[in-house]
Amino acid sequence: MSLIKTADEIKRIRQSARILADTLKRLSSRVGPGVDLRDLEKFTRAAIKEHGGKPAFLGYRPTGAGSPYPFALCTSLNEVIVHGLPRAYELKEGDLLKLDLGVDWKGGISDAALTVPVGKIS
């Protein structure tokens, strides 16, 4: 993999990042008490697909991993720093949720994370 990108590669990365930013913005506005993490996962997949992208994390299998990552989104709660799984959990007032996702748009990859308070936090 070359660190120097062509104009076309930069264009694809830029579009990927636009999709990612839009998805994170819309996703964070859905966060609130009573929201199930699995619903955030479903929304993420649909939002990325709506723009013609693919979830970069879904099916990703780094060297040494026993199996591919089964989600589009990482949802890390409270003391969990990164790589939490979207599971059957309804968010509670005071939770701190980290949302991490990647987007693949025609081979252009972007990745970002955002921390979102759930309701009022201390």
Side-chain angles (χ1 to χ4, degrees):
M1 175 180 76
S2 174
L3 295 178
I4 299 173
K5 303 299 179 194
T6 67
D8 184 58
E9 288 171 321
I10 292 168
K11 179 181 173 183
R12 288 183 278 134
I13 293 167
R14 186 173 285 136
Q15 180 58 26
S16 172
R18 285 184 184 114
I19 295 167
L20 175 68
D22 179 70
T23 302
L24 273 176
K25 181 179 179 181
R26 292 169 56 200
L27 186 60
S28 65
S29 72
R30 300 175 88 78
V31 170
V35 173
D36 192 294
L37 296 178
R38 296 170 299 180
D39 291 333
L40 296 177
E41 167 69 15
K42 288 177 195 169
F43 174 82
T44 298
R45 289 184 190 210
I48 293 170
K49 185 178 180 181
E50 172 186 313
H51 290 291
K54 296 185 293 187
F57 296 175
L58 182 61
Y60 177 68
R61 186 177 184 179
T63 303
S67 59
Y69 189 71
F71 301 104
L73 179 66
C74 294
T75 55
S76 305
L77 282 165
N78 302 319
E79 72 281 352
V80 177
I81 299 170
V82 293
H83 303 151
L85 306 177
R87 56 188 168 87
Y89 176 83
E90 287 190 3
L91 295 169
K92 296 176 181 60
E93 183 93 17
D95 279 341
L96 198 58
L97 177 64
K98 281 75 77 185
L99 302 168
D100 184 6
L101 67 122
V103 172
D104 177 345
W105 190 79
K106 299 183 180 181
I109 307 289
S110 59
D111 179 352
L114 177 67
T115 302
V116 182
V118 180
K120 287 186 174 187
I121 62 169
S122 62

